[in-house]
């Protein structure tokens, strides 16, 4: 992650701004194309492949990687692990931005984006798992926003409002966990309706459970990963309190991630056994499945455990990166690679450069906003007026 | 202990809920009584594309790239798209070329309808599955869900894209007319009627000509049953139809996941609240223990201190006793002399 040539903070900002600026301009150009020429003009989507990377990456991965919000706040406020407190604010902020961008990115994919409120306010398709996803994401986005506001109120010096919101912490956290459980698993459940389209190694009636459990691993790993990144780039914004607890958070989350990955591996195997799908393992898809399972579940699980035992931060951080990549790989496999596996390769989907461009654009927006907020509001440090008061 | 119970419950909540059919809403649904359907007989179809032409006309769809009497079109595999609601494909078989028409199968429990989050799809009592573009958000989940790969989308429409699929000519049915394709077929490869009747007809054809047909009516059970039914002389997979779809309807497939929603919403807050209470209590106990420990330590420390003090005092006592005695004596003696004087003074005063 080191940027050769970037020595002082000044030059980092310049390089960063130039690149980010270029990406944003590109994004805007594609945006205009998308909304004047239609989906067909910018994407490779077709009648057989109605969902591409805007769903596979922006939605599925976006939501999974934003799981750090509920895992961290649950660990801190519900399980009472106060030493993770310093990690809560960055995690909540990341989650809030993550979800906001998921919804933003969805606007590109929807045929008539301005009707997005329809399923909730106009006519409810309650038999649809997508309805559940939509409802939960909307509510959770609201919860995350409220959970984020204390930092903003501190920044703006609005003490009374801040006090009100802080009192709601526990209720908000529980509500957030409920909503996250529901929509994280529903994203997997979306695919339970299409057993004939998703390869049997990835299709399972347990898909909702797989998605939920892996989202916990993703959330924990993202907190570690994102903490590491921020450490490099935003060190100046962190106070002693945050830095003092940082290693403890990494160790604790690493340990949890190891356990969760182990559990995930176990239930994946149970899933295989339940459908008796072992014989597929020898096929080409089987090999790919093994790559995912061994390389991105078993390996990081082992590395996390090793890192925790040896108290070796760098191993834990590597394991976190592998897990994050693994989640992306898994969501890609379910939504794109193993989806429509029965079609001849000429009818399979591969994204256009413009589709990838929009995804990069969205991620860049996220990073820019994250920097804007963390360099101003008390995210990595405690506001002097509210020290030790959380 | 509590944590373990909680994990156990989490397991049951998630796993139990996601086993298909556990809490499913599906008492078996066999379609609306008297609902209509179409029987397609692949042994009669000659691939003339008249049905395609009729469909194009009655639905007022844009003109095709190649005329309908151009049969070279059949050499490439096609699927339904936004401008073509039905297509006929040609398949090579041991019995010579075979043709199969495809269009929406008008499932009894349509995956598209169950997937749509604004209820844009509806199964009508007459059997047709229709789509309402005035609410469609354009998420295309219906296309993901349909096992027969039927719904198509107007990808080139920037502002008002629609999902396009066969409607069984619902508007024509309402006028008492036949679906366009059925009317256009010169070979009676398509028969329109009540689904129950069609099943009887199909069974009779198989019985009378066991050599001509394989013993299976496609659509009777597939994906919970469809209003469109198929007969064929070769295994259906040879005319491009999937035989691995199973008989579970879409609602059955997703019932487990949906049923888990109230479970999670009901159990989670209580469980999490419980865990919170436990961890709080743990904190409190820890706090109390800490206080006690501190108190103990202080007590111990102070008794220790006292002991040392008294020891020191005794030691000092012994060592200094004599000197003290001497000193005291001296002091007393010194004190006594002026005391007498003082006493005298005080007596005077009083
Ligand atoms: S065939 Fe597809 S589009 Fe037609 S009713 Fe069934 S699920 Fe819906
Ligand atoms: S694309 Fe339209 S009809 Fe299809 S599921 Fe989405 S909202 Fe419903």
């Amino acid at each position: 992650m080191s940027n050769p040539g970037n020595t002082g903070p000044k030059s980092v900002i310049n390089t960063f701004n130039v690149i980010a600026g270029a990406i944003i301009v590109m994004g805007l150009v594609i945006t205009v194309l998308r909304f004047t020429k239609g989906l067909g003009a910018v994407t490779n989507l077709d009648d057989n492949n109605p969902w591409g990377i805007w769903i596979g990456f922006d939605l599925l991965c976006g939501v999974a990687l934003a799981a750090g919000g509920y895992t961290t706040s649950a660990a801190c406020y519900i399980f009472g692990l106060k030493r993770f407190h310093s990690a809560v604010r960055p995690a909540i902020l990341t989650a809030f931005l993550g979800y906001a961008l998921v919804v933003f990115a969805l606007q590109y994919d929807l045929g008539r984006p301005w009707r997005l409120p329809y399923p909730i306010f106009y006519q409810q398709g309650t038999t649809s798992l997508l309805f559940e996803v939509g409802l939960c994401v909307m509510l959770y986005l609201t919860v995350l926003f409220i959970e984020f506001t204390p930092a903003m109120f501190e920044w703006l010096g609005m003490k009374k409002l801040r006090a009100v919101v802080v009192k709601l912490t526990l209720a908000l956290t529980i509500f957030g966990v409920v909503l996250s459980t529901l929509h994280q698993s529903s994203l997997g459940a979306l695919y339970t309706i299409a057993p004939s389209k998703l390869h049997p190694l990835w299709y399972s009636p347990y898909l909702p459970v797989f998605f939920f459990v892996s989202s916990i691993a993703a959330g924990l790993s993202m907190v570690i990963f994102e903490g590491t990144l921020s450490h490099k780039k935003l060190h100046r914004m962190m106070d002693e309190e945050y830095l003092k607890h940082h290693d403890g958070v990494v160790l604790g989350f690493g340990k949890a991630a190891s356990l969760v990955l182990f559990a995930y591996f176990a239930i994946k195997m149970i899933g295989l056994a339940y459908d008796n799908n072992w014989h597929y393992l020898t096929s080409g898809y089987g090999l790919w499945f093994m790559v995912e399972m061994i390389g991105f579940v078993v390996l990081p699980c082992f590395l996390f455990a090793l890192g925790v035992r040896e108290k070796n931060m760098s191993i834990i951080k590597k394991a976190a990166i592998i897990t994050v990549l693994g989640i992306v790989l898994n969501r890609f496999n379910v939504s794109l690679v193993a989806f429509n596996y029965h079609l001849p390769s000429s009818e399979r989907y591969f994204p256009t450069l413009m589709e990838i461009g929009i995804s990069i654009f969205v991620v860049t927006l996220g990073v820019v906003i994250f920097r804007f907020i963390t360099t101003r509001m008390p995210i990595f440090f405690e506001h002097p007026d509210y020290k030790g008061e959380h | 202990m509590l944590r373990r119970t909680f994990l156990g419950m989490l397991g049951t909540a998630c796993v139990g809920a996601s086993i298909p059919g556990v809490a499913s809403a599906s008492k078996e649904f066999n379609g609306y009584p008297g609902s209509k359907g179409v029987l397609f007989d692949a042994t009669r179809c000659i691939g003339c594309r008249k049905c395609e032409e009729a469909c194009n006309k009655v639905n007022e769809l844009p003109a095709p790239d190649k005329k309908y009497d151009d049969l070279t079109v059949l050499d490439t595999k096609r699927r339904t798209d936004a401008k073509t609601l039905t297509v006929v494909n040609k398949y090579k078989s041991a019995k010579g070329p075979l043709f199969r028409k495809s269009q929406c199968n008008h499932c009894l429990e349509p995956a598209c309808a169950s997937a749509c989050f604004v209820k844009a799809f509806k199964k009508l009592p007459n059997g047709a599955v229709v789509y309402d573009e005035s609410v469609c958000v354009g998420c295309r989940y219906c296309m993901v869900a349909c096992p027969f790969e039927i719904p198509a989308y107007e990808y080139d429409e920037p502002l008002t894209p629609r999902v396009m699929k066969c409607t069984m000519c619902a508007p024509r049915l309402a006028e008492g007319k036949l679906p366009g394709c059925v009317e256009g077929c010169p070979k009676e490869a398509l028969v329109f009627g009540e689904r129950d009747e069609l099943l009887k007809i199909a069974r009779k054809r198989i019985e009378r000509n066991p050599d001509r047909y394989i013993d299976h009516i496609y659509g009777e059970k597939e994906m919970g049953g469809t209003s469109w039914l198929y007969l064929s002389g070769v295994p259906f997979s040879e005319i491009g139809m999937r035989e691995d779809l199973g008989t579970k309807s879409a609602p059955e497939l997703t019932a487990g996941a949906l049923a888990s929603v109230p479970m999670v919403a009901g159990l989670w807050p209580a469980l999490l609240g419980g865990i919170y209470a436990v961890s709080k209590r743990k904190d409190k106990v820890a706090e109390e223990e800490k206080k006690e420990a501190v108190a103990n330590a202080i007590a111990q420390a102070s008794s220790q201190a006292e002991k040392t003090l008294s020891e020191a005092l005794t030691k000092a006592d012994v060592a200094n006793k004599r000197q003290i005695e001497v000193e005291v004596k001296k002091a007393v003696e010194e004190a006594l002399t002026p005391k007498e004087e003082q006493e005298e003074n005080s007596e005077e005063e009083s």
Side-chain angles (χ1 to χ4, degrees):
Chain A
M1 293 291 125
S2 68
N3 253 333
N6 292 340
T7 36
K10 265 257 158 74
S11 75
V12 173
I13 286 172
N14 284 335
T15 323
F16 177 84
N17 281 354
V18 169
I19 296 173
I23 293 175
I24 288 172
V25 169
M26 166 204 74
L28 293 177
V29 172
I30 307 174
T31 306
V32 171
L33 276 178
R34 154 68 186 90
F35 288 103
T36 52
K37 298 253 153 67
L39 273 170
V42 292
T43 70
N44 268 342
L45 298 175
D46 59 31
D47 294 331
N48 285 327
N49 303 288
W51 285 0
I53 60 162
W54 289 349
I55 297 294
F57 180 73
D58 303 7
L59 176 69
L60 295 189
C61 294
V63 167
L65 297 179
Y70 86 91
T71 38
T72 315
S73 51
C76 177
Y77 296 126
I78 297 179
F79 290 86
L81 307 174
K82 295 280 152 51
R83 67 203 146 104
F84 297 142
H85 192 267
S86 63
V88 170
R89 278 203 174 172
I92 294 275
L93 175 63
T94 318
F96 172 62
L97 287 181
Y99 278 86
L101 288 169
V102 163
V103 175
F104 173 74
L106 209 53
Q107 308 304 314
Y108 287 83
D109 195 72
L110 291 176
R112 311 196 196 197
W114 54 92
R115 285 187 181 170
L116 188 54
Y118 272 30
I120 291 159
F121 297 109
Y122 184 69
Q123 183 160 289
Q124 296 79 18
T126 45
T127 54
S128 171
L129 284 154
L130 197 58
F131 172 75
E132 199 201 315
V133 171
L135 187 64
C136 288
V137 167
M138 184 198 78
L139 291 174
Y140 188 45
L141 191 56
T142 317
V143 168
L144 280 172
F145 177 72
I146 301 175
E147 287 187 307
F148 162 70
T149 50
M152 201 172 70
F153 291 147
E154 285 172 19
W155 181 54
L156 297 171
M158 302 162 85
K159 295 199 177 185
K160 274 202 191 125
L161 268 174
R162 179 194 171 277
V164 173
V165 178
V166 167
K167 281 212 187 81
L168 293 175
T169 303
L170 181 67
L172 285 172
T173 307
I174 291 186
F175 198 38
V177 174
V178 172
L179 292 169
S180 296
T181 312
L182 288 176
H183 70 257
Q184 293 285 359
S185 55
S186 304
L187 283 176
L190 282 181
Y191 290 88
T192 56
I193 205 170
S196 59
K197 294 188 179 176
L198 187 54
H199 191 281
L201 283 174
W202 282 273
Y203 183 88
S204 161
Y206 295 112
L207 261 175
V209 188
F210 294 166
F211 266 53
F212 174 61
V213 175
S214 56
S215 85
I216 301 177
L220 297 169
S221 303
M222 269 310 270
V223 171
I224 299 175
F225 174 61
E226 177 241 19
T228 314
L229 271 191
S230 305
H231 237 271
K232 286 228 173 83
K233 305 283 175 204
L234 294 164
H235 201 280
R236 64 207 140 91
M237 294 311 293
M238 299 172 176
D239 66 1
E240 263 171 40
E241 190 67 14
Y242 179 89
L243 294 173
K244 190 175 83 195
H245 288 293
H246 181 74
D247 282 2
V249 171
V250 171
L251 273 181
F253 274 41
K255 194 166 168 189
S258 173
L259 287 172
V260 173
L261 282 172
F262 184 76
Y264 178 69
F265 182 75
I267 58 174
K268 283 288 266 195
M269 291 304 119
I270 293 172
L272 269 190
Y274 177 83
D275 291 322
N276 201 10
N277 278 335
W278 302 104
H279 59 282
Y280 288 108
L281 288 181
T282 50
S283 65
Y285 274 103
L287 200 68
W288 188 232
F289 181 79
M290 300 286 264
V291 168
E292 185 192 320
M293 290 312 293
I294 308 281
F296 293 91
V297 180
V298 176
L299 177 68
C301 171
F302 170 76
L303 287 181
F304 271 127
L306 187 74
V308 170
R309 215 186 64 167
E310 314 266 297
K311 297 224 180 340
N312 184 330
M313 296 299 146
S314 98
I315 296 185
I316 298 182
K317 284 169 185 174
K318 282 190 187 100
I321 292 173
I322 299 175
T323 311
V324 167
L325 291 177
I327 287 290
V328 175
L329 179 67
N330 173 257
R331 300 308 194 247
F332 271 173
N333 280 343
V334 171
S335 62
L336 304 170
V337 180
F339 190 77
N340 272 340
Y341 73 104
H342 61 289
L343 294 180
S345 54
S346 60
E347 292 173 29
R348 297 298 302 276
Y349 161 88
F350 195 84
T352 60
L353 283 178
M354 284 193 272
E355 282 177 273
I356 299 172
I358 286 293
S359 292
I360 295 176
F361 166 66
V362 170
V363 173
T364 309
L365 276 187
V367 176
V368 170
I369 302 174
F370 187 81
R371 281 175 62 112
F372 178 87
I373 295 178
T374 48
T375 47
R376 284 167 180 78
M377 300 184 196
I379 303 296
F380 291 116
F381 60 93
E382 284 184 281
H383 194 283
D385 294 356
Y386 309 91
K387 262 227 179 314
E389 214 193 84
H390 300 286
Chain B
M1 166 62 196
L2 211 120
R3 182 162 300 175
R4 187 172 302 164
T5 334
F6 147 69
L7 286 175
M9 285 173 94
L10 162 62
T12 3
C14 289
V15 173
S18 63
I19 292 171
V22 162
S24 81
S26 60
K27 290 160 217 107
E28 209 173 306
F29 177 71
N30 287 315
Y32 292 102
S35 77
K36 304 290 193 292
V38 174
L39 172 65
F40 170 80
D41 191 331
T43 67
R44 298 185 180 192
C45 177
I46 54 166
C48 64
R49 301 184 67 210
K50 290 276 191 276
C51 51
E52 286 187 28
E53 186 171 9
C55 177
N56 176 277
K57 214 170 93 195
V58 304
N59 289 301
E60 291 162 8
L61 296 167
D65 299 340
K66 285 185 183 169
K67 288 226 175 89
Y68 285 106
D69 49 17
D70 181 354
L71 297 184
T72 57
V73 171
L74 294 171
D75 294 336
T76 41
K77 182 185 151 199
R78 293 176 302 150
R79 60 153 287 158
T80 53
D81 61 39
K83 294 172 188 153
T84 330
L85 307 187
T86 184
V87 295
V88 176
N89 275 311
K90 181 160 103 182
Y91 300 91
K92 287 189 193 88
S93 85
K95 296 186 178 177
L98 288 171
F99 305 92
R100 199 251 312 173
K101 176 182 181 304
S102 75
Q103 72 298 305
C104 172
N105 283 325
H106 301 276
C107 309
L108 300 186
E109 297 179 78
C112 54
S114 135
C116 178
F117 66 163
V118 275
K119 285 201 204 141
F121 282 101
K122 204 156 66 198
K123 175 83 175 169
L124 300 179
N126 70 7
V129 174
V130 293
Y131 159 79
D132 175 7
E133 66 159 287
S134 75
V135 291
C136 175
V137 183
C139 67
R140 306 185 300 285
Y141 186 34
C142 48
M143 300 167 69
V144 168
C146 173
F148 303 105
E149 288 157 19
I150 293 302
Y153 194 65
E154 297 182 314
Y155 282 106
D156 295 324
E157 201 54 62
L159 296 175
T160 55
R162 289 172 297 172
V163 173
M164 301 295 285
K165 75 165 197 69
C166 149
T167 61
M168 208 194 242
C169 287
R172 284 169 62 90
L173 293 190
E175 297 171 25
K177 292 187 195 155
L178 283 175
C181 55
V182 177
E183 201 176 74
C185 180
K187 283 289 180 183
E188 287 186 15
L190 292 166
V191 181
F192 177 82
E194 272 184 29
R195 184 173 185 267
D196 295 342
E197 291 302 315
L198 295 176
L199 281 170
K200 279 185 205 149
I201 296 175
R203 236 169 253 131
K204 231 176 259 162
R205 283 191 198 170
I206 297 173
E207 259 165 47
R208 288 212 194 117
N209 279 305
D211 299 337
R212 188 181 168 116
Y213 296 103
I214 60 156
D215 187 11
H216 181 71
I217 306 169
Y218 195 99
E220 183 180 7
K221 298 253 168 65
E222 273 75 12
M223 288 304 288
T226 58
S227 291
W228 216 282
L229 302 165
Y230 298 80
L231 281 177
S232 165
V234 297
F236 285 98
S237 57
E238 286 179 32
I239 52 171
M241 301 175 80
R242 295 192 63 168
E243 294 187 293
D244 57 351
L245 297 182
T247 56
K248 266 191 198 131
S249 68
E252 263 178 284
L253 289 167
T254 51
L258 282 172
S260 72
V261 173
M263 277 298 149
V264 172
L267 277 178
W268 248 179
L271 287 174
L272 296 175
I275 294 166
Y276 171 72
V278 170
S279 73
K280 246 224 134 154
R281 165 101 193 112
K282 206 177 71 197
D283 278 357
K284 218 174 132 197
V285 170
E287 188 105 325
E288 268 162 20
E289 274 169 5
K290 205 164 116 195
K291 258 190 213 151
E292 211 172 302
V294 170
N296 279 346
I298 290 173
Q300 225 170 30
S302 58
S303 70
Q304 186 80 31
E306 251 166 58
K307 216 166 117 197
T308 340
L309 187 67
S310 65
E311 261 168 27
L313 284 177
T314 2
K315 244 192 216 157
D317 254 17
V318 176
N320 296 330
K321 212 169 185 173
R322 290 189 89 164
Q323 204 187 340
I324 291 173
E325 266 167 19
V326 174
E327 291 287 333
V328 168
K329 240 182 201 165
K330 224 190 216 167
V332 169
E333 271 165 18
E334 264 173 29
L336 277 176
T337 352
K339 203 183 170 188
E340 280 160 10
E341 285 167 20
Q342 266 173 24
E343 270 169 12
E344 279 166 20
N345 289 344
S346 67
E347 265 164 36
E348 276 170 24
E349 266 174 33
S350 63

